[in-house]
Amino acid sequence: MFGSAKSRPAMAAFDFALLWAVVLLLALGLVMVYSSSIAIAEGSRATGQQPAYFLIRQSVFLMISGMLAVVTFQMPLAIWQKYALYLFMFGVGLLALVLVPGIGREVNGSQRWLSLFVINFQPSEVMKLFAVIYAADYTVRKAGDMHSFSKGFLPMFVVMLLVGGLLLREPDFGAFAVITAIAMGILFLGGMNWRLFAGLLVLLLVGSVLLIWISPYRLQRVVGFMDPWADPFGKGYQLSHALIAFGRGEWLGVGLGASVEKLFYLPEAHTDFLLAVIAEELGFVGVLLVVLAFSFIVARAFSIGRQAAQLERHFPALVAQGIGMWLGVQAIINMGVNMGVLPTKGLTLPLLSFGGSGIAANCCALALLLRVDWENRQLLRGVKI
């Protein structure tokens, strides 16, 4: 289906350490999604009061994501670069489609999903992958103009304003923050003038403060984050219960399945606040395992990107490092929210939290990272790709 046996990637050329780190997080996520969602599934008519409802759906998501990852791995980086602009335009179209009345689906006050009958699809998740690919391609194409405001900086800034405007209309401030970090990071690694980069940071800081100030619900989140105990039954409800979960877990946790906070106390226990349940049931050791796994994946992404750059493969290098930034920034934000270090953003924990769109996008991104590494190894062996 994907070419002759001779042309297929050899299994021995895989980065198995990276692959096993990903499998570990996916497996832990499946177990913890089941543990954190049993009570919710049993108590909801929407799930048919089936305890394994979310476990079954997450298992299906993982199988579909695995198949998509295999297909993604088979595609050379040259193809991704060729169609980078078209993929980005497709992603922008999906973000616009979400906002069309009657097409986009609203959940908990946010219109972020497209209904695919059986499941809901969240375009902002795949847009993160498309943003990595487009920003890498843009930086390579504009390599000679990275010191120019009008030719290097301004076109990307306008494009990101468009994407940001669509995301903030949903609203999805978390996805906006991640995609902005991806684009900025890739531009910086691609050699953008440091003065332009510093100016962009200032603009983003001012813009973020204004967005928070003019939006009552964002302002309430920041106020609640600064002192959740001032209103533990209102603005600080989620964070206060997340902190209670962390406190109960101590070093080794209360035991798998023994969480109290997941019993209708902690909202979104199987999605945004899954880490809090991990902390309660598996303790500091469980949280440390998750942090170390993400640290390893991000470190490998940058190492693979650096190796590609040494081989003068600039687009694959930026793609690899962009994927590392994406997963690292999103994981840090989610962990920060769970621990009370950052305001609530509505971002899931990559590879672990419940959700088909997020898992699929993460798996495809990591398959692309493995592809960059595989192509590096082939070139080092003198094999033409």
Side-chain angles (χ1 to χ4, degrees):
M1 181 178 178
F2 299 110
S4 65
K6 184 179 179 180
S7 65
R8 293 173 188 165
M11 289 296 292
F14 276 130
D15 184 339
F16 280 104
L18 174 60
L19 186 61
W20 279 113
V22 173
V23 170
L24 171 66
L25 287 177
L26 290 172
L28 177 62
L30 183 64
V31 172
M32 295 310 301
V33 163
Y34 181 43
S35 176
S36 61
S37 66
I38 293 175
I40 301 170
E42 282 184 331
S44 174
R45 292 184 179 180
T47 63
Q49 298 181 323
Q50 295 295 321
Y53 176 83
F54 291 102
L55 171 67
I56 293 170
R57 289 178 71 85
Q58 187 76 343
S59 299
V60 173
F61 293 154
L62 286 175
M63 287 189 288
I64 294 172
S65 299
M67 290 186 287
L68 290 173
V70 170
V71 175
T72 300
F73 181 80
Q74 301 293 332
M75 298 174 64
L77 268 296
I79 293 179
W80 291 101
Q81 185 173 10
K82 180 179 178 180
Y83 293 103
L85 177 60
Y86 302 106
L87 289 172
F88 189 78
M89 291 172 62
F90 176 66
V92 171
L94 290 177
L95 290 179
L97 194 62
V98 164
L99 300 174
V100 177
I103 297 179
R105 183 175 180 184
E106 185 175 333
V107 179
N108 296 330
S110 297
Q111 195 163 323
R112 305 176 185 175
W113 293 268
L114 295 174
S115 178
L116 300 181
F117 302 105
V118 180
I119 60 172
N120 291 324
F121 171 66
Q122 189 172 356
S124 60
E125 291 295 337
V126 296
M127 191 62 196
K128 295 169 188 173
L129 177 59
F130 295 160
V132 169
I133 296 167
Y134 175 74
D137 174 61
Y138 177 88
T139 304
V140 170
R141 283 189 290 109
K142 298 279 188 175
D145 299 319
M146 281 293 104
H147 293 276
S148 169
F149 176 82
S150 60
K151 295 181 180 179
F153 167 77
L154 192 59
M156 176 60 81
F157 183 68
V158 172
V159 167
M160 296 315 298
L161 277 181
L162 171 63
V163 173
L166 292 171
L167 287 170
L168 292 174
R169 286 281 297 168
E170 296 183 4
D172 193 346
F173 190 77
F176 171 64
V178 171
I179 290 175
T180 301
I182 290 169
M184 285 182 56
I186 290 177
L187 287 173
F188 179 74
L189 292 170
M192 173 179 274
N193 182 289
W194 71 268
R195 291 185 180 87
L196 291 177
F197 187 78
L200 179 58
L201 281 177
V202 172
L203 284 175
L204 286 171
L205 181 60
V206 173
S208 298
V209 171
L210 288 174
L211 285 171
I212 292 170
W213 185 260
I214 65 176
S215 176
Y217 91 93
R218 291 193 191 105
L219 188 59
Q220 287 179 359
R221 283 185 173 184
V222 172
V223 172
F225 142 76
M226 292 175 69
D227 187 6
W229 305 110
D231 187 12
F233 298 104
K235 294 187 290 290
Y237 183 80
Q238 273 186 313
L239 180 53
S240 60
H241 280 280
L243 294 175
I244 291 170
F246 271 87
R248 291 191 75 246
E250 298 185 354
W251 288 98
L252 299 176
V254 297
L256 186 62
S259 167
V260 171
E261 288 301 317
K262 69 184 181 184
L263 303 177
F264 301 101
Y265 293 104
L266 181 62
E268 310 297 337
H270 59 303
T271 54
D272 299 358
F273 283 86
L274 185 67
L275 187 70
V277 179
I278 293 175
E280 187 178 2
E281 295 191 350
L282 304 182
F284 173 79
V285 172
V287 175
L288 181 62
L289 177 65
V290 172
V291 172
L292 290 176
F294 273 113
S295 299
F296 176 75
I297 291 171
V298 173
R300 282 299 301 139
F302 275 86
S303 177
I304 290 168
R306 185 170 59 252
Q307 186 181 57
Q310 290 171 350
L311 292 169
E312 297 185 354
R313 305 179 65 236
H314 302 295
F315 172 75
L318 291 173
V319 166
Q321 292 168 343
I323 290 170
M325 283 186 289
W326 162 17
L327 297 178
V329 168
Q330 185 164 333
I332 288 170
I333 292 175
N334 179 273
M335 292 175 186
V337 168
N338 276 253
M339 296 177 187
V341 180
L342 294 171
T344 305
K345 288 289 190 298
L347 279 175
T348 57
L349 187 59
L351 299 171
L352 285 98
S353 294
F354 175 80
S357 302
I359 291 291
N362 296 158
C363 287
C364 288
L366 287 161
L368 200 55
L369 178 61
L370 284 167
R371 176 74 195 195
V372 175
D373 178 66
W374 179 81
E375 290 186 1
N376 288 348
R377 295 177 187 226
Q378 295 301 102
L379 288 173
L380 289 172
R381 293 173 180 175
V383 179
K384 186 177 180 180
I385 55 175

